[in-house]
Structure formats: C-alpha cells, structure tokens
Amino acid sequence: MESLDNVKVLTRGESVVLAGVCSGIAEYYHLRKNGIRLAFLLTSLFFAIPAFAYVVLWLVLPEYPTTEAMARHLRRKKLQR
C-alpha cells in the first residue's frame, strides 16, 4: 500500500510571477521554475496554445494553500476504501 504522506496534488505554486501555474508544474514534476517559465514564454511567442493552456490551468488548478487540505481529503478517501 502506498504511503499516505506521499500524496502529490498538482496546484498553482507558492512562488507566483503571474498566476503560479508554471511554478506549480515545476514543483509537481521537480523541475526548475525558471526553465518552465522560459519554455512557456518561448513557445507562446510562436504558438497560441500555451497561452490558452495557461489561462485554463489558472482557472482549473487550486491555489497553493489548499494543497494540505486536498492531501488530507485524499488520505481520508483512501482510508475509506
């Protein structure tokens, strides 16, 4: 059985430049935040899809402080099974 302390939840990051989407993705996948931001910026210059995806993720992903609450909820849900 998986450890309940290792529940990972994708959220907007705590170090915010615009909305924290790139920061949250970098924290979730253990990547460099500025690398994700630079990749997003460069691809947004040539394509519109990253900018659209950023706005969608901004609206969909929960904010950083709710991470602990979500992890607790997932732990409880897993214990009920």
Side-chain angles (χ1 to χ4, degrees):
M1 187 162 126
E2 292 180 41
S3 173
L4 298 177
D5 295 327
N6 295 332
V7 175
K8 288 174 56 173
V9 179
L10 180 59
T11 62
R12 288 187 272 164
E14 63 180 325
S15 60
V16 177
V17 171
L18 183 61
V21 173
C22 291
S23 175
I25 291 171
E27 289 171 8
Y28 186 80
Y29 291 109
H30 303 290
L31 301 171
R32 293 181 179 208
K33 294 173 188 164
N34 289 333
I36 297 292
R37 290 173 180 148
L38 182 64
F40 166 76
L41 181 65
L42 291 176
T43 55
S44 293
L45 292 175
F46 300 106
F47 307 105
I49 293 173
F52 178 72
Y54 191 93
V55 171
V56 169
L57 289 173
W58 185 358
L59 297 172
V60 171
L61 291 179
E63 292 181 27
Y64 177 74
T66 62
T67 303
E68 293 302 319
M70 289 179 69
R72 281 194 306 269
H73 174 71
L74 290 173
R75 284 187 204 115
R76 281 190 219 121
K77 192 173 183 181
K78 200 169 198 178
L79 287 173
Q80 290 175 352
R81 289 184 192 176

